[in-house]
Amino acid sequence: MNNWISGLDNANDEIVISSRVRLARNLKKVHFTNKLDENAGRENVDRIESAFYLNENTRDKFTTVRLWEIGGNVSTSYFEKHLISPNLLKSYKKTAFLVDKDETMSIMINEEDHIRLQCITKGFDIKEAYNEATKLDDMLENYLDYAFDERFGYLTACPTNIGTGMRASVMIHLPALTMNKEIDGLIKGLAQVGMTIRGLYGEGSNADSNIYQISNQVTLGVTEEEILNNLQAVVSQITAQEIKSREHLRANYEYEILDKIYRSIGILKNAIILSSKECLELLSYVRLGVEMSIIDDIDKKLLNSLLVLIQPASLQLKVDRKLTEKERDIERGKLVRETFRKINN
Amino acid sequence: MNNWISGLDNANDEIVISSRVRLARNLKKVHFTNKLDENAGRENVDRIESAFYLNENTRDKFTTVRLWEIGGNVSTSYFEKHLISPNLLKSYKKTAFLVDKDETMSIMINEEDHIRLQCITKGFDIKEAYNEATKLDDMLENYLDYAFDERFGYLTACPTNIGTGMRASVMIHLPALTMNKEIDGLIKGLAQVGMTIRGLYGEGSNADSNIYQISNQVTLGVTEEEILNNLQAVVSQITAQEIKSREHLRANYEYEILDKIYRSIGILKNAIILSSKECLELLSYVRLGVEMSIIDDIDKKLLNSLLVLIQPASLQLKVDRKLTEKERDIERGKLVRETFRKINN
């Protein structure tokens, strides 16, 4: 797998930024997470951690982070890297996660389910993410007793996850479909085929970045194979639509698009105050410029890293103190300015 | 005198960009301009031109431009440099002007009055402009018979110019007073003391550039000395108000002001499509940055020249063809981008 932020750019990360598979698992004979108090929760962390580290390979590759032992900015910055969920943060007194050194695999403990195992890789490669997740899952199953029902499959805290316990998703950049408003129809259409589309940071987060997460909604009564194939097919189709819209833009609004892209670079290089919303919009135009081969001296690795680094916790971590919204806008401006000025274009 | 566009920047061009004096004169025994047909008008051009060139000094320093002999873009570009008026352009079949090589002095022939003589110099120096205008006027009076009445003074086509026939004006940059809306009260106050305030290109032009022209309105019953002193006093007071407002901005909105200034530079360096309105606004912020010593690698000479070069006729003259509005916005973007990218900041 290839870290979606720092891994080398490659051909399959055009439009699709990353692919992710997560599996929800629970232990037999242990109450669901919401019934575990702080002590029982921490016991469960120890239980899963020690099972996991029974395997020598994983012991060298992974580290454990106990959320109650670290500061809020540190843990939230893992969320901003898409390695852990808001739910894990919320219950930080009894939650933990294991993460590999490459930051492509993570195992959340005491999220909604006891185990939420996820693999995330750069670009459009859901099967790779699935294969790695399965390997990890199989390994864990050697040491732990999963709650599994012959008829229903994996049992989960929320019925929407019962069955495969799998959610597969991609992070996808759709500026052209957003500009021409086709995105609204797309969202409706996806719901009808059992898929869901959300913003950069999941439910409730907005799409200022023109980056969306598309994932399967249904887990019961379908096989892993079907989920992966469906998502693959839908994402391929959306990608083709986006490319078509970009070609239309290029053919009919060439100067306007160039204007948007270059102005964005100009502002990112110079702004003193930069809100998250504006910054994400500008970064999206620059990304579009790179993806349309209009800009050739900026790599997407840099744009991916900025998606994370401009987030509140990452900014606060950088300066090592709590910031007001205005201070964040100023720090964000500084970070982005310095980053873009290093590029000679 | 010092050309307001290309002359070296100096201490007195802080806030006041240029100072101008124009004198309106008419010849005895010749009908007012509006009564002159094409032939009679051109005869009058020859009459005034030959009188003017009787003096050897002027013959070497000035050239004559007959508006009916040149293209519209060429003549309009002189208007954009503030050397001639829209009225002169309108009656181009019978109008002409004399202009010195430095482009600080011009004599319009067959404008509203037979002679409109003007001197324009960089910065806040109305008396210098007046002295030079008077010298030229005295010289011309040796060779021509002016329409003059002992009681009323110089007779002019429009009664508002009777008396001294003089209008003194300054071009002044008031971004802070515009931002905090004090400009509206200022406009009303000026009217009460017989002054008038207009946009960069006179009556009806807007103030996107935050540059205004302030001039005397009353010419009858006041001496030249009084006009000059009044204008000088009023402009000094407005300048002080503007400086105070800038200090207030710096003390209370430092980041916001820096943000505006640097973003403006970023956009000017990168925009592909640039409307006149936006361009003037951005140039005003950069000028403010220079005047507040925030920006030190851009000189105002460059900003002054852009004020003119981004105007429609100057742009069309540069590419030597008529441009649609969209084409102008693209050419303007290109010109400004290339100009700003040469500056290393």
Side-chain angles (χ1 to χ4, degrees):
Chain A
M1 285 199 297
N2 192 3
N3 183 293
W4 76 275
I5 303 168
S6 59
L8 286 180
D9 295 344
N10 56 40
N12 76 354
D13 67 356
E14 188 82 343
I15 298 176
V16 175
I17 297 171
S18 68
S19 302
R20 176 163 52 151
V21 164
R22 75 106 165 100
L23 302 172
R25 301 291 185 250
N26 286 281
L27 303 185
K28 251 181 202 160
K29 294 174 196 160
V30 180
H31 289 302
F32 277 137
T33 306
N34 64 348
K35 300 283 184 198
L36 301 178
D37 65 14
E38 206 174 294
N39 280 336
R42 293 185 183 187
E43 258 172 48
N44 203 36
V45 166
D46 293 342
R47 184 181 299 122
I48 293 167
E49 184 197 29
S50 44
F52 189 72
Y53 288 147
L54 286 176
N55 183 303
E56 267 182 41
N57 284 336
T58 54
R59 209 184 306 153
D60 296 338
K61 275 180 70 181
F62 282 76
T63 47
T64 310
V65 182
R66 289 170 163 78
L67 265 64
W68 63 87
E69 288 179 352
I70 57 169
N73 283 332
V74 179
S75 50
T76 307
S77 75
Y78 284 104
F79 159 67
E80 292 172 351
K81 290 192 269 190
H82 291 272
L83 286 167
I84 64 173
S85 67
N87 266 337
L88 201 78
L89 292 173
K90 221 184 321 178
S91 311
Y92 70 95
K93 294 224 161 161
K94 60 173 183 183
T95 58
F97 64 99
L98 303 154
V99 61
D100 72 325
K101 293 200 174 70
D102 289 342
E103 300 194 335
T104 57
M105 297 188 262
S106 61
I107 294 150
M108 291 182 264
I109 304 175
N110 293 337
E111 218 263 14
E112 193 180 277
D113 299 295
H114 294 151
I115 294 171
R116 286 269 175 114
L117 182 163
Q118 82 157 30
C119 289
I120 181 169
T121 190
K122 198 180 187 94
F124 191 20
D125 201 352
I126 315 173
K127 295 215 164 142
E128 168 75 1
Y130 173 71
N131 291 338
E132 293 300 315
T134 303
K135 268 191 237 166
L136 256 186
D137 184 45
D138 290 346
M139 191 274 288
L140 255 179
E141 208 163 4
N142 290 333
Y143 308 110
L144 290 165
D145 220 2
Y146 283 166
F148 183 82
D149 179 279
E150 284 299 330
R151 204 153 42 112
F152 290 124
Y154 292 101
L155 300 177
T156 53
C158 176
T160 57
N161 289 313
I162 283 180
T164 58
M166 180 168 105
R167 177 164 277 187
S169 67
V170 298
M171 210 151 66
I172 186 167
H173 186 225
L174 304 175
L177 292 175
T178 307
M179 272 184 247
N180 69 13
K181 317 260 189 240
E182 282 183 43
I183 199 79
D184 302 330
L186 204 75
I187 292 172
K188 281 180 202 148
L190 282 171
Q192 286 166 352
V193 297
M195 302 261 167
T196 177
I197 184 165
R198 300 171 305 161
L200 176 60
Y201 283 104
E203 210 117 31
S205 77
N206 55 36
D208 296 326
S209 57
N210 298 323
I211 293 172
Y212 300 86
Q213 293 190 69
I214 299 175
S215 60
N216 67 304
Q217 191 71 300
V218 179
T219 57
L220 189 64
V222 281
T223 64
E224 282 91 344
E225 190 81 18
E226 284 167 334
I227 292 173
L228 296 174
N229 287 341
N230 281 348
L231 186 64
Q232 185 113 16
V234 163
V235 171
S236 299
Q237 199 191 320
I238 293 172
T239 300
Q241 261 178 277
E242 171 68 18
I243 289 173
K244 209 176 137 195
S245 295
R246 290 183 186 184
E247 280 160 8
H248 179 80
L249 280 178
R250 195 195 286 269
N252 296 283
Y253 302 99
E254 191 195 351
Y255 283 106
E256 286 81 355
I257 282 296
L258 289 174
D259 188 55
K260 284 283 192 188
I261 293 168
Y262 284 106
R263 272 172 189 257
S264 298
I265 294 176
I267 295 171
L268 291 165
K269 270 189 174 170
N270 287 282
I272 304 295
I273 302 173
L274 205 51
S275 72
S276 170
K277 181 182 163 66
E278 184 188 13
C279 187
L280 289 169
E281 283 170 1
L282 298 174
L283 288 173
S284 170
Y285 281 118
V286 179
R287 183 181 292 271
L288 181 64
V290 175
E291 290 173 349
M292 289 176 82
S293 303
I294 291 165
I295 303 295
D296 58 11
D297 54 2
I298 296 177
D299 49 61
K300 290 207 283 182
K301 212 165 88 175
L302 182 102
L303 298 176
N304 289 352
S305 74
L306 282 176
L307 279 184
V308 171
L309 295 172
I310 63 156
Q311 298 297 330
S314 298
L315 283 175
Q316 293 184 136
L317 202 58
K318 181 172 177 263
V319 297
D320 198 23
R321 64 187 181 90
K322 191 154 172 50
L323 299 168
T324 64
E325 192 180 333
K326 184 177 173 182
E327 287 171 333
R328 282 206 303 272
D329 289 351
I330 292 169
E331 278 303 327
R332 186 178 293 112
K334 190 171 165 226
L335 169 75
V336 169
R337 215 160 57 235
E338 286 169 356
T339 308
F340 271 87
R341 288 197 178 187
K342 276 185 205 140
I343 307 159
N344 189 31
N345 73 334
Chain B
M1 287 201 296
N2 193 2
N3 183 293
W4 76 274
I5 303 168
S6 59
L8 287 180
D9 294 345
N10 56 39
N12 77 356
D13 68 356
E14 187 82 343
I15 297 175
V16 176
I17 296 171
S18 68
S19 303
R20 175 162 55 149
V21 164
R22 74 105 166 102
L23 303 172
R25 301 291 184 250
N26 286 281
L27 302 186
K28 249 182 203 161
K29 295 176 197 160
V30 180
H31 288 302
F32 277 138
T33 304
N34 63 349
K35 299 282 184 200
L36 300 178
D37 63 15
E38 208 175 290
N39 278 338
R42 293 185 184 187
E43 256 173 49
N44 202 36
V45 166
D46 292 342
R47 182 180 299 121
I48 293 168
E49 185 198 27
S50 44
F52 189 71
Y53 286 148
L54 285 175
N55 183 303
E56 266 181 42
N57 283 338
T58 53
R59 209 183 307 154
D60 296 338
K61 275 179 70 183
F62 283 76
T63 47
T64 311
V65 182
R66 288 170 163 77
L67 264 65
W68 63 89
E69 288 178 353
I70 58 170
N73 283 332
V74 180
S75 50
T76 307
S77 75
Y78 284 104
F79 159 67
E80 292 172 351
K81 290 192 270 190
H82 290 272
L83 286 167
I84 64 173
S85 68
N87 267 337
L88 201 76
L89 292 173
K90 223 187 316 178
S91 312
Y92 71 95
K93 294 227 162 161
K94 62 173 182 183
T95 58
F97 64 98
L98 302 154
V99 61
D100 73 323
K101 294 201 175 68
D102 288 343
E103 299 194 335
T104 57
M105 297 189 262
S106 61
I107 294 150
M108 290 182 266
I109 304 175
N110 294 337
E111 219 262 14
E112 194 178 277
D113 298 295
H114 294 152
I115 295 171
R116 286 268 174 115
L117 183 162
Q118 81 156 30
C119 288
I120 180 167
T121 189
K122 199 182 185 93
F124 191 20
D125 202 350
I126 315 173
K127 294 215 165 141
E128 168 74 1
Y130 173 71
N131 290 340
E132 292 301 314
T134 303
K135 268 192 237 166
L136 256 186
D137 184 45
D138 290 347
M139 191 275 288
L140 255 179
E141 208 164 4
N142 289 333
Y143 308 110
L144 289 166
D145 218 2
Y146 283 166
F148 184 82
D149 179 279
E150 283 300 331
R151 206 151 44 112
F152 290 125
Y154 291 100
L155 300 177
T156 53
C158 176
T160 58
N161 288 313
I162 282 179
T164 59
M166 180 167 104
R167 176 163 278 186
S169 68
V170 298
M171 210 151 66
I172 186 166
H173 185 225
L174 304 174
L177 293 175
T178 306
M179 271 184 249
N180 70 11
K181 316 257 191 242
E182 282 183 45
I183 198 80
D184 302 330
L186 204 76
I187 292 173
K188 279 181 202 144
L190 282 172
Q192 286 166 353
V193 297
M195 302 261 170
T196 176
I197 184 165
R198 299 171 304 160
L200 176 59
Y201 283 104
E203 210 118 29
S205 76
N206 55 37
D208 297 325
S209 57
N210 297 322
I211 293 172
Y212 300 86
Q213 294 189 70
I214 299 176
S215 60
N216 67 304
Q217 190 70 300
V218 178
T219 56
L220 189 64
V222 281
T223 64
E224 281 91 345
E225 190 81 18
E226 284 167 335
I227 292 173
L228 297 174
N229 286 343
N230 281 348
L231 186 65
Q232 185 113 16
V234 163
V235 171
S236 299
Q237 199 191 320
I238 293 173
T239 300
Q241 261 178 277
E242 170 69 19
I243 289 173
K244 209 176 138 194
S245 294
R246 290 184 186 184
E247 280 161 6
H248 179 80
L249 280 178
R250 194 195 288 269
N252 296 283
Y253 302 99
E254 191 195 351
Y255 282 106
E256 286 81 354
I257 282 295
L258 289 175
D259 188 53
K260 285 282 192 188
I261 293 168
Y262 283 106
R263 273 173 189 256
S264 297
I265 294 175
I267 295 172
L268 290 165
K269 270 189 174 170
N270 287 282
I272 305 294
I273 301 174
L274 206 50
S275 72
S276 169
K277 181 181 162 68
E278 185 188 13
C279 187
L280 289 170
E281 282 169 4
L282 299 172
L283 288 174
S284 170
Y285 280 118
V286 179
R287 183 181 291 271
L288 181 64
V290 175
E291 289 172 349
M292 289 176 81
S293 303
I294 292 165
I295 304 294
D296 58 11
D297 54 2
I298 296 176
D299 49 61
K300 290 209 281 180
K301 211 165 86 174
L302 182 100
L303 298 176
N304 289 353
S305 74
L306 282 176
L307 279 185
V308 172
L309 294 173
I310 63 156
Q311 298 297 330
S314 297
L315 283 175
Q316 294 184 135
L317 202 57
K318 181 171 177 267
V319 297
D320 198 22
R321 64 188 180 92
K322 190 151 173 52
L323 299 168
T324 64
E325 192 179 333
K326 185 175 173 185
E327 287 172 333
R328 282 205 303 271
D329 289 352
I330 292 169
E331 278 302 326
R332 186 179 293 111
K334 190 172 165 227
L335 169 75
V336 169
R337 216 161 58 235
E338 286 169 356
T339 307
F340 271 87
R341 288 196 176 188
K342 277 187 204 137
I343 307 158
N344 188 31
N345 71 334

